Each structure stands twice: as structure tokens, then as C-alpha cells.
Amino acid sequence: MKQMNKNFFVKTHGLGNEYIVLDGKNITFELTQKAITRICNVNFGIGSDGILLLVDSNRADIGLQIFNPDGSEAEKSGNGLRIFCKYVFDYGIITKNEFTVETKGGIVKATIEETVNNKAKIITVDMGQAIFKSDLIPTKFETPEVDNVTIEANGKSFDVNCVSVGNPHCVVLKEDLSIDEIKKFGPFLENHEMFPNRINVQFAKVINRNEVEVLIWERGAGFTLASGSSSCAVASVMKKKGLVDENITIKMQGGTLKIKVDPDFNIRMTGEVREICSGILSEELIEDTNL
Ligand SMILES: N[C@@H](CCC[C@H](N)C(=O)O)C(=O)O
């Protein structure tokens, strides 16, 4: 394992969905909501779609806490998990190709599929089973599942389909996708009164039985170029509706992810991750997180 300096960070992206990784044992400050928003801010900090914090686990090989740029904690993140797995593998914290990671949204199994110069490139994560029960997602709907239920957001009606893949998602099927539309209505769907923990939002267009195009509005982050858990959510909803087969390519603004949904709705996600940079958080930035 490489010896890392205090406040060492790595910034990595999965299809343009970028995360800063920190080791909880290696930082000299408290990762408060203020600290998270400051570090993730592109003007005052490094700029990121979130922070991944390495923590101990006594149930898995390693533990992960996931934070959105608004400082809220997410139960799971698909790109976040692949990015975190690359970090622990590349920096010698985990030395095997298959290992388990504990998140707030469950324990997942990760496999390093492909390496380049001994660094992880393609990673598969078994994301667990999709949950369609309204109350477990959670939503406030009284129907057992939220399948094509019409709700109003900012004066417009949307037919929503909800699912949890460890974190909550709301999928809207569309004939045409518009970035302006998801940016305009995403915040209202995210914060809709029927979603007590807020929700991640996807507008999705089925291209054929193996391809779906998706735009994403993330809880606590806003519009992002890609999302792993959103891809899993969309694939599960489309599979349940009988619109796609078992193997689905999800096309997003930042690139594509391969998702497999088995007959019991167990989800497997495979995709690339790339490190952007690494360094030491400046004392001046850390001082700023306490202001
Ligand atoms: N970008 C992520 C999702 C991150 C968490 C999400 N914003 C939430 O609050 O649930 C992904 O790739 O899955």
C-alpha cells in the first residue's frame, strides 16, 4: 500500500460524473456539510459531483460513505462505487480483484475486469436487487408500487415510475429528451412532497430492446452527465415493463454503461473509470471549510 500524505485526495470520473475520494483516517478536518459543499464547489474548492469517504467496515472488505455536493449523504452511487473501487485497487488498499464494499444502501461485490499498467480501468459492481415497493423506496404513495402514476411538478404532469437500487429513483418515459426540460422540472420532481427523502430523476427514451437513452437530474447534485445508480434504476423499470431484454446499454451525455438485470431484478453494472488528478487539499481550503 502506498504511503499517503495527510489530506491526500484523488479526483476520478465515471463518464463525466466526477468524485473526490478521501480516506477518513487520513484527513485532519471534520467532513461537515460546510466542508463538503466548499470542496465540491468549482469556484471555492476543487469542484465535484460528490465526495467518497473511505471508512472501516466489519461486514465487508471495506466501507464507503457517499456525499452529494449539497452535503447530504447518499445510500449508494453506481459511478461512485466504481470510482472508489479503482481508488482502493490502484493505491494498494485492496490487493485482490474481487472484493466487497459496505455502503449505507447495502453491501456490493466489485470485480476489477480490466487493468492498464496495473491500474483498474473497467469495473463491474453487483448493485443488489431493485426494490419496487412504494414505502420502501421510500415514497408516500398508497399504491403497492409506483408504476405510471401521474404527479404534477412546476405546473406540468409527469407519469412517474419509482424504484430503489439502494438509493431512490423516479423514472419518466419520454418520446423525446430535452436537457432544458429536465433542468426546469428536475428540481421540482426531486423535492416533490410524495418523496420524503427527495429522489433522483431520470428522463428515459427506449431506443430498442437493448438500448435506452437517459438524461439525469440527481438528488443533491443537479444535472449530471452520467449516473450509475440511475442507469440501474432505468434498466430495472424498463425490464419490469417488458420494454427491454436482460442486457441493456444505457446512453448518457457522458458515455455508456452496460447493465444486466436478471429475472429476479438483481442488477450488474459494468463501465469505465478514469483518474483526473490527485493532490493534497490546501491548508487554505481546509481553513475555509471552517468559516
Ligand atoms: N452519481 C451517482 C449517484 C449519487 C447519489 C445520488 N445523487 C443520491 O443522492 O442518491 C451514481 O452514479 O449513481
Side-chain angles (χ1 to χ4, degrees), residues 17 19 68 74 76-80 167 200 218-219 226-230:
N17 188 208
Y19 281 89
N68 289 317
K76 226 184 222 174
S77 162
N79 285 326
N167 58 344
N200 295 288
E218 272 191 42
R219 176 179 65 167
S227 162
S229 58
S230 296

Side-chain angles (χ1 to χ4, degrees), residues 8 17 26 42 53 77 89 113-114 145 151 159 172 188 227:
F8 175 76
N17 188 208
N26 205 31
V42 73
L53 186 70
S77 162
F89 184 83
E113 302 281 358
E114 223 181 281
E145 294 182 353
I151 61 172
D159 294 338
V172 181
F188 293 91
S227 162

Side-chain angles (χ1 to χ4, degrees), residues 3 10 16 21 42 44 48-49 54 77 105 109 119 122 126 143 157 163 166 170 197 199 201 205 225 229 237 260 288:
Q3 191 58 43
V10 173
V21 192
V42 73
F44 292 94
S48 179
D49 292 323
L54 188 160
S77 162
K109 192 186 100 188
K119 292 194 165 189
I122 308 282
D126 286 318
T143 48
S157 292
V163 62
C170 158
N197 293 353
I199 209 153
V201 181
K205 179 184 171 184
L225 296 179
S229 58
V237 164
K260 183 175 179 177
D288 212 16

